Amino acid sequence: MSDILVHTEAGIRTVTLNRVDKKNSITSAMYGAMADALASAVDDAAVRVVLLQGHETVFSAGNDIGDFLNKPPAGLDSPVFRFLKGIATFPKPLLAAVCGPAVGVGTTLLFHCDLVYAGDNAAFSMPFVNLGLCPEAASSLLVPQMLGYHRAAEALLLGEPFMAEAALEVGLVNRVLPPTEANDYAQSVAKKLAAKPLSSLVETKRLMKKGQGELVLKTIAEEGESFGRMLREPAAKEAFGAFMERRKPDFSKV
C-alpha cells in the first residue's frame, strides 16, 4: 500500500511510514501492512535487518483518530495487536529512525527496537491519559524499566512531550542527528549489521531479551483489555469528542 512503503535490498528491509499529509497517522490497514512486513521478514533469508522510518519532518502522529473510532481494535488478532506482537517478538535486529513528532504508538514502538536514531527535531509523547486511556505496547512495563519510575510517571501520567536530547539522556535513542541525516545514518548502521553473521545477531538479541518475552506479551494483552474497556467509557468519549470538535476536553464529571 502507498501509505506504507516496504523495500528490501542488501539484507535490509526498510519500512517507511508514507502518509506525510496526515502526519503519518496510522490506520488499521497500515498496521496490517507493517505487521505483514515484519512477519514475512522473520523467515526470509534475504532479510537480515529491519529499519522503520518516517519523514524528516514527522515520524508518526499516532493512531488515525477517525479510522480508530470507526474501526476500533477487535481483539488480539486485530492488525494493531498483530503489529505490536510482531515488534515485540521480532528475532532479528530492528532499527528505527525518528524525526519530528512521535506520538503514542510512535513512541511506544521504539521500546521494542534494538537501535534508535533521532533527528534533533524529534518530540516523543505518550498522551494516553489525556485521551482517557491507558498505555499500550507494553509501555507500562518497558517505560519504567528504561526511564526509571519517576520519569516514567512524568511521561505517562502527564503525557507531555520530551525532546530528542532528553530521549538520548535516558537511553531511548542511541544518537541525535540533523533531521536530514537521521534516515541515512540509520541505513548505514543497518548495513553494518547486515554484514555480520545473522546467527550471532539473533542469538545475542535472544540472550539480551531472555526471560522478558512472555511478560511483554502478557502486558500487551492486559493493556489491550484495559484499553478496549476504557475506550468505551465516558472519559475517552469526552476526550475524542473534544478532539473532533476542536475544543478543550472537560473531565470534571468523569
Side-chain angles (χ1 to χ4, degrees):
M1 62 179 302
S2 61
D3 290 342
I4 297 292
L5 304 180
V6 180
H7 177 72
T8 303
E9 184 178 355
I12 303 165
R13 173 159 294 178
T14 304
V15 180
T16 304
L17 293 159
N18 187 48
R19 199 180 181 223
V20 180
D21 61 320
K22 299 293 185 181
K23 298 183 180 180
N24 284 343
S25 57
I26 306 174
T27 63
S28 179
M30 291 168 69
Y31 278 121
M34 291 191 291
D36 291 344
L38 286 170
S40 63
V42 172
D43 296 318
D44 189 340
V47 179
R48 303 169 74 86
V49 183
V50 169
L51 169 62
L52 305 175
Q53 66 180 22
H55 188 263
E56 64 188 47
T57 62
V58 60
F59 183 63
S60 175
N63 287 319
D64 180 290
I65 299 298
D67 181 83
F68 183 71
L69 293 176
N70 288 330
K71 292 182 285 186
L76 295 179
D77 292 326
S78 62
V80 60
F81 285 109
R82 284 181 51 230
F83 171 69
L84 295 181
K85 288 185 284 186
I87 57 173
T89 60
F90 191 68
K92 300 176 182 179
L94 180 62
L95 282 65
V98 184
C99 298
V103 181
V105 71
T107 289
T108 59
L109 72 83
L110 304 175
F111 289 90
H112 299 278
C113 295
D114 302 300
L115 296 166
V116 180
Y117 299 97
D120 59 22
N121 64 340
F124 306 89
S125 61
M126 295 174 282
F128 305 110
V129 165
N130 301 337
L131 294 172
L133 299 171
C134 66
E136 38 86 307
S139 53
S140 62
L141 170 70
L142 300 175
V143 176
Q145 283 184 357
M146 180 173 288
L147 275 60
Y149 181 82
H150 288 114
R151 282 181 170 175
E154 186 174 49
L156 289 170
L157 295 180
L158 289 174
E160 295 174 352
F162 57 98
M163 305 306 290
E165 290 297 335
L168 179 65
E169 180 187 349
V170 298
L172 177 58
V173 306
N174 295 87
R175 186 165 179 169
V176 176
L177 305 122
T180 54
E181 299 176 15
N183 286 2
D184 287 344
Y185 186 85
Q187 194 74 222
S188 72
V189 175
K191 288 178 182 177
K192 290 181 183 179
L193 289 168
K196 298 181 185 296
L198 180 59
S199 59
S200 295
L201 294 171
V202 169
E203 186 64 8
T204 299
K205 178 171 178 174
R206 186 191 72 80
L207 290 167
M208 286 195 293
K209 289 181 172 284
K210 182 177 62 176
Q212 182 155 291
E214 186 175 330
L215 180 57
V216 167
L217 291 176
K218 181 180 178 181
T219 304
I220 288 174
E222 183 178 357
E223 290 172 345
E225 183 177 337
S226 295
F227 196 100
R229 170 178 53 79
M230 296 181 77
L231 188 61
R232 299 187 296 272
E233 294 179 346
K237 290 181 179 179
E238 168 61 18
F240 286 109
F243 178 87
M244 301 303 285
E245 295 165 12
R246 300 182 182 276
R247 61 175 174 82
K248 186 176 180 179
D250 178 7
F251 297 120
S252 62
K253 298 179 181 178
V254 298

